[in-house]
mmCIF file of all heavy atoms in Angstrom:
data_model
loop_
_atom_site.group_PDB
_atom_site.id
_atom_site.type_symbol
_atom_site.label_atom_id
_atom_site.label_comp_id
_atom_site.label_asym_id
_atom_site.label_seq_id
_atom_site.Cartn_x
_atom_site.Cartn_y
_atom_site.Cartn_z
ATOM 1 N N ILE A 1468 -63.023 160.184 46.735
ATOM 2 C CA ILE A 1468 -62.533 158.838 47.133
ATOM 3 C C ILE A 1468 -61.838 158.191 45.982
ATOM 4 O O ILE A 1468 -60.777 157.575 46.111
ATOM 5 C CB ILE A 1468 -63.706 157.971 47.627
ATOM 6 C CG1 ILE A 1468 -64.307 158.544 48.904
ATOM 7 C CG2 ILE A 1468 -63.245 156.507 47.850
ATOM 8 C CD1 ILE A 1468 -65.568 157.853 49.392
ATOM 9 N N ILE A 1524 -19.315 119.727 48.269
ATOM 10 C CA ILE A 1524 -18.577 120.807 47.615
ATOM 11 C C ILE A 1524 -19.569 121.750 46.943
ATOM 12 O O ILE A 1524 -20.379 121.334 46.095
ATOM 13 C CB ILE A 1524 -17.604 120.252 46.548
ATOM 14 C CG1 ILE A 1524 -16.596 119.292 47.213
ATOM 15 C CG2 ILE A 1524 -16.871 121.367 45.830
ATOM 16 C CD1 ILE A 1524 -15.722 118.546 46.225
ATOM 17 N N LEU A 1534 -5.816 119.588 39.919
ATOM 18 C CA LEU A 1534 -5.103 118.706 40.841
ATOM 19 C C LEU A 1534 -5.806 117.368 40.992
ATOM 20 O O LEU A 1534 -5.186 116.308 41.033
ATOM 21 C CB LEU A 1534 -4.980 119.406 42.197
ATOM 22 C CG LEU A 1534 -3.930 118.862 43.170
ATOM 23 C CD1 LEU A 1534 -2.538 119.026 42.586
ATOM 24 C CD2 LEU A 1534 -4.025 119.616 44.500
ATOM 25 N N VAL A 1547 -16.798 115.815 49.643
ATOM 26 C CA VAL A 1547 -15.355 115.983 49.463
ATOM 27 C C VAL A 1547 -14.611 114.662 49.655
ATOM 28 O O VAL A 1547 -13.538 114.447 49.079
ATOM 29 C CB VAL A 1547 -14.816 117.054 50.428
ATOM 30 C CG1 VAL A 1547 -14.857 116.554 51.867
ATOM 31 C CG2 VAL A 1547 -13.386 117.448 50.047
ATOM 32 N N ASN A 1607 -2.530 123.644 48.868
ATOM 33 C CA ASN A 1607 -1.269 124.143 48.265
ATOM 34 C C ASN A 1607 -0.473 122.944 47.719
ATOM 35 O O ASN A 1607 -0.026 122.072 48.479
ATOM 36 C CB ASN A 1607 -0.442 124.880 49.320
ATOM 37 C CG ASN A 1607 0.863 125.429 48.745
ATOM 38 O OD1 ASN A 1607 1.024 125.528 47.529
ATOM 39 N ND2 ASN A 1607 1.797 125.774 49.626
ATOM 40 N N HIS A 1628 30.816 118.992 48.142
ATOM 41 C CA HIS A 1628 31.569 117.749 48.034
ATOM 42 C C HIS A 1628 32.273 117.533 46.702
ATOM 43 O O HIS A 1628 33.008 116.559 46.559
ATOM 44 C CB HIS A 1628 30.635 116.563 48.310
ATOM 45 C CG HIS A 1628 29.996 116.609 49.667
ATOM 46 N ND1 HIS A 1628 30.718 116.469 50.834
ATOM 47 C CD2 HIS A 1628 28.698 116.805 50.032
ATOM 48 C CE1 HIS A 1628 29.904 116.552 51.870
ATOM 49 N NE2 HIS A 1628 28.664 116.760 51.417
ATOM 50 N N GLY A 1632 37.216 122.854 42.390
ATOM 51 C CA GLY A 1632 37.067 124.092 43.123
ATOM 52 C C GLY A 1632 35.990 124.964 42.498
ATOM 53 O O GLY A 1632 35.869 125.031 41.277
ATOM 54 N N LYS A 1651 41.116 123.042 49.545
ATOM 55 C CA LYS A 1651 41.956 121.847 49.473
ATOM 56 C C LYS A 1651 42.977 121.953 48.346
ATOM 57 O O LYS A 1651 44.132 121.539 48.496
ATOM 58 C CB LYS A 1651 41.059 120.620 49.266
ATOM 59 C CG LYS A 1651 41.825 119.306 49.289
ATOM 60 C CD LYS A 1651 40.868 118.127 49.162
ATOM 61 C CE LYS A 1651 41.642 116.804 49.186
ATOM 62 N NZ LYS A 1651 40.710 115.650 49.061
ATOM 63 N N HIS A 1690 48.896 129.401 41.401
ATOM 64 C CA HIS A 1690 49.818 129.208 42.530
ATOM 65 C C HIS A 1690 49.042 128.816 43.772
ATOM 66 O O HIS A 1690 47.971 129.356 44.050
ATOM 67 C CB HIS A 1690 50.598 130.502 42.802
ATOM 68 C CG HIS A 1690 51.529 130.878 41.696
ATOM 69 N ND1 HIS A 1690 51.103 131.533 40.566
ATOM 70 C CD2 HIS A 1690 52.874 130.675 41.554
ATOM 71 C CE1 HIS A 1690 52.134 131.742 39.764
ATOM 72 N NE2 HIS A 1690 53.213 131.229 40.332
ATOM 73 N N ALA A 1762 72.857 116.899 10.013
ATOM 74 C CA ALA A 1762 74.005 116.485 9.201
ATOM 75 C C ALA A 1762 73.941 117.080 7.810
ATOM 76 O O ALA A 1762 74.963 117.464 7.226
ATOM 77 C CB ALA A 1762 74.064 114.958 9.130
ATOM 78 N N ASP A 1777 74.123 87.794 20.601
ATOM 79 C CA ASP A 1777 74.308 86.382 20.275
ATOM 80 C C ASP A 1777 74.205 85.573 21.575
ATOM 81 O O ASP A 1777 74.924 85.845 22.531
ATOM 82 C CB ASP A 1777 75.685 86.136 19.635
ATOM 83 C CG ASP A 1777 75.951 87.081 18.483
ATOM 84 O OD1 ASP A 1777 75.011 87.334 17.706
ATOM 85 O OD2 ASP A 1777 77.100 87.588 18.361
ATOM 86 N N GLY A 1791 66.466 87.047 31.708
ATOM 87 C CA GLY A 1791 66.623 87.657 30.385
ATOM 88 C C GLY A 1791 66.368 89.147 30.414
ATOM 89 O O GLY A 1791 67.077 89.932 29.776
ATOM 90 N N ASP A 1810 75.377 110.698 21.956
ATOM 91 C CA ASP A 1810 74.957 109.625 21.051
ATOM 92 C C ASP A 1810 73.661 109.001 21.549
ATOM 93 O O ASP A 1810 73.368 109.009 22.737
ATOM 94 C CB ASP A 1810 76.046 108.542 20.942
ATOM 95 C CG ASP A 1810 77.323 109.081 20.333
ATOM 96 O OD1 ASP A 1810 77.232 110.023 19.512
ATOM 97 O OD2 ASP A 1810 78.407 108.577 20.670
ATOM 98 N N ILE A 1824 75.342 107.708 15.909
ATOM 99 C CA ILE A 1824 76.614 108.374 16.231
ATOM 100 C C ILE A 1824 76.744 109.597 15.317
ATOM 101 O O ILE A 1824 77.001 109.455 14.110
ATOM 102 C CB ILE A 1824 77.819 107.426 16.036
ATOM 103 C CG1 ILE A 1824 77.547 106.056 16.676
ATOM 104 C CG2 ILE A 1824 79.080 108.048 16.575
ATOM 105 C CD1 ILE A 1824 77.315 106.083 18.162
ATOM 106 N N SER A 1887 77.791 90.289 9.793
ATOM 107 C CA SER A 1887 78.698 89.987 10.914
ATOM 108 C C SER A 1887 78.282 88.682 11.602
ATOM 109 O O SER A 1887 79.131 87.932 12.078
ATOM 110 C CB SER A 1887 78.707 91.142 11.917
ATOM 111 O OG SER A 1887 77.467 91.264 12.575
ATOM 112 N N SER A 2071 82.218 69.649 21.733
ATOM 113 C CA SER A 2071 81.713 68.347 22.160
ATOM 114 C C SER A 2071 81.983 68.106 23.637
ATOM 115 O O SER A 2071 83.041 68.449 24.146
ATOM 116 C CB SER A 2071 82.357 67.242 21.330
ATOM 117 O OG SER A 2071 82.057 67.434 19.966
ATOM 118 N N ALA A 2074 80.138 64.316 28.596
ATOM 119 C CA ALA A 2074 79.119 64.183 29.641
ATOM 120 C C ALA A 2074 77.719 64.122 29.047
ATOM 121 O O ALA A 2074 76.889 63.324 29.452
ATOM 122 C CB ALA A 2074 79.241 65.333 30.633
ATOM 123 N N ILE A 2084 75.968 58.085 15.933
ATOM 124 C CA ILE A 2084 76.797 59.272 15.749
ATOM 125 C C ILE A 2084 77.208 59.348 14.282
ATOM 126 O O ILE A 2084 77.702 58.345 13.718
ATOM 127 C CB ILE A 2084 78.065 59.241 16.644
ATOM 128 C CG1 ILE A 2084 77.686 59.459 18.104
ATOM 129 C CG2 ILE A 2084 79.075 60.278 16.194
ATOM 130 C CD1 ILE A 2084 78.870 59.352 19.049
ATOM 131 N N ASP A 2096 95.332 61.297 4.495
ATOM 132 C CA ASP A 2096 96.617 62.000 4.518
ATOM 133 C C ASP A 2096 96.713 63.056 5.623
ATOM 134 O O ASP A 2096 97.773 63.252 6.202
ATOM 135 C CB ASP A 2096 96.854 62.657 3.157
ATOM 136 C CG ASP A 2096 96.893 61.617 2.039
ATOM 137 O OD1 ASP A 2096 97.394 60.508 2.294
ATOM 138 O OD2 ASP A 2096 96.417 61.922 0.930
ATOM 139 N N ASN A 2191 83.222 16.544 -20.355
ATOM 140 C CA ASN A 2191 82.108 16.013 -21.129
ATOM 141 C C ASN A 2191 80.749 16.329 -20.507
ATOM 142 O O ASN A 2191 79.711 16.090 -21.103
ATOM 143 C CB ASN A 2191 82.264 14.499 -21.295
ATOM 144 C CG ASN A 2191 82.298 13.798 -19.936
ATOM 145 O OD1 ASN A 2191 82.675 14.400 -18.955
ATOM 146 N ND2 ASN A 2191 81.916 12.528 -19.934
#
Side-chain angles (χ1 to χ4, degrees):
I1468 295 173
I1524 300 172
L1534 198 63
V1547 69
N1607 181 17
H1628 301 293
K1651 185 177 180 180
H1690 293 81
D1777 309 320
D1810 296 331
I1824 313 299
S1887 68
S2071 300
I2084 288 176
D2096 299 325
N2191 59 334

